Amino acid sequence: MERLSENKIKRTLFVYNPKAGKGTVVKNLHEIVDAFTKVNYPVTVYPTQAQGDACRLVETRDAGQYDLIVCSGGDGTLREVVNGLMKSGVATPVGYIPAGSTNDFARSLGLPDDIPEAMEIITKGKPFLCDAGNFNGENFVYVAAFGLFTDVSYATNQQWKNIFGHVAYILEGVKSLSSIQSYEVQIECDEGTMRGNYIYGMVTNSLSVGGFKNITGKDVSFDDGKFEVILIRRPATFAELNDIVISLLRQSFDAICMQSFKTSYLKIKSREEINWTLDGEFGGTYIDVEIKNVQRAFPIMVRK
């Protein structure tokens, strides 16, 4: 019989989405629980039952009674756990076993989807205090976005792993510029106030969004209290539209219609209601939006 690790006992809550990754976690549940047991982490296992379940669980159950909260699923599952943790006011470290289709945030932090490797980081790594975002009172982990691409991220089949490549394909087929949905907005941020007619806006703290790597450049820090913001203005000519398509296909954001900057907050006002996504899932419809960076908001386990 194998001896238990002499590590200090750490009470662990393991929350997982049984539908994520074609049931990968369910198939490996024994392996995960066994790995916790071997390092002296008594674990409570909870499979989520519906959207929002993980957030409610972590917020309402005394998160302080646990030494570690581990979640597995897509980025949406991680957002729910972090949202619940931040609402509870408890700074319990979070472990993450990515099991979604793109796992953008996990990739940005160098967290693997290989279960044994992920467990090694969770049990032997170190907590890193990571920034989060607050969107009209709701917390998100790494991205809030509106416009053309957002419908793709939460409405299409998960086989569309590279959202921006798919949208570039859509834009190539545009026959009339007037058919492109855009939003006239006023934006207040660290740099001042700006106005424009945009087809897309993204506020992020990640190196990858929708499978699109290095989308915000390489000068990204996850604990600096700043977001990376990208806006794409409505193209006025087909030449500008072609410039956007080429930039997307090259996986760069250097077209004349694109602008990027860093900021700690944004206030966005529009003339009409806009659909938003938070971490790739539907986040509501708003005219007025306030987004704040919450610096070093939650601890997440990363490599030493």
Side-chain angles (χ1 to χ4, degrees), residues 19-295:
K19 297 180 180 180
K22 297 181 179 179
T24 303
V25 180
V26 176
K27 297 174 185 175
N28 295 276
L29 188 57
H30 172 76
E31 176 187 356
I32 295 169
V33 173
D34 187 58
F36 281 128
T37 303
K38 281 184 169 61
V39 293
N40 221 5
Y41 287 22
V43 58
T44 300
V45 179
Y46 185 91
T48 58
Q49 305 298 304
Q51 187 172 359
D53 200 21
C55 179
R56 288 189 293 270
L57 173 71
V58 176
E59 182 184 6
T60 56
R61 182 173 294 192
D62 182 9
Q65 70 177 294
Y66 298 102
D67 301 297
L68 179 67
I69 298 176
V70 178
C71 66
S72 186
D75 291 331
T77 303
L78 176 64
R79 180 179 80 86
E80 287 192 21
V81 169
V82 170
N83 192 17
L85 189 66
M86 291 175 67
K87 288 182 175 181
S88 73
V90 177
T92 303
V94 174
Y96 185 33
I97 304 174
S101 58
T102 56
N103 305 314
D104 289 307
F105 187 69
R107 291 184 181 183
S108 296
L109 287 182
L111 302 180
D113 55 11
D114 176 75
I115 291 178
E117 192 177 353
M119 290 297 296
E120 183 82 5
I121 293 172
I122 291 169
T123 58
K124 297 183 180 179
K126 64 178 182 180
F128 169 70
L129 281 172
C130 188
D131 292 352
N134 184 277
F135 178 96
N136 281 3
E138 288 295 316
N139 301 303
F140 65 95
V141 175
Y142 74 100
V143 63
F146 73 89
L148 182 63
F149 309 124
T150 55
D151 289 338
V152 177
S153 66
Y154 63 75
T156 64
N157 190 290
Q158 286 190 344
Q159 69 180 356
W160 297 116
K161 292 186 178 181
N162 190 327
I163 295 169
F164 296 96
H166 176 51
V167 172
Y169 173 80
I170 293 174
L171 289 176
E172 280 190 310
V174 170
K175 304 299 182 183
S176 169
L177 293 177
S178 62
S179 65
I180 301 176
Q181 177 70 55
S182 62
Y183 304 92
E184 189 173 339
V185 299
Q186 174 182 294
I187 300 173
E188 180 184 329
C189 60
D190 290 349
E191 294 191 347
T193 302
M194 60 187 74
R195 295 176 179 81
N197 201 1
Y198 300 101
I199 65 173
Y200 177 69
M202 180 179 70
V203 182
T204 185
N205 188 42
S206 177
L207 292 173
S208 171
V209 177
F212 197 103
K213 298 178 181 179
N214 298 321
I215 189 172
T216 51
K218 297 181 180 180
D219 182 25
V220 177
S221 176
F222 301 105
D223 62 350
D224 62 354
K226 298 281 188 179
F227 293 118
E228 282 69 41
V229 180
I230 291 176
L231 299 170
I232 303 181
R233 180 173 52 81
R234 181 187 183 88
T237 65
F238 274 102
E240 289 184 350
L241 175 62
N242 187 58
D243 193 25
I244 293 172
V245 172
I246 291 174
S247 293
L248 292 174
L249 294 176
R250 289 178 177 173
Q251 297 199 358
S252 65
F253 270 73
D254 54 5
I256 193 172
C257 289
M258 300 177 178
Q259 62 186 105
S260 61
F261 56 89
K262 292 177 179 286
T263 186
S264 62
Y265 82 101
L266 296 100
K267 290 183 179 179
I268 302 176
K269 295 183 177 182
S270 60
R271 291 188 172 184
E272 59 183 305
E273 291 187 332
I274 298 178
N275 289 335
W276 283 81
T277 63
L278 302 178
D279 297 332
E281 296 186 348
F282 183 61
T285 303
Y286 302 92
I287 291 178
D288 293 337
V289 165
E290 184 171 6
I291 305 173
K292 300 177 182 177
N293 185 289
V294 185
Q295 188 172 16

Side-chain angles (χ1 to χ4, degrees), residues 2-7 37-40:
E2 295 186 60
R3 293 178 60 190
L4 287 176
S5 166
E6 295 181 357
N7 292 346
T37 303
K38 281 184 169 61
V39 293
N40 221 5

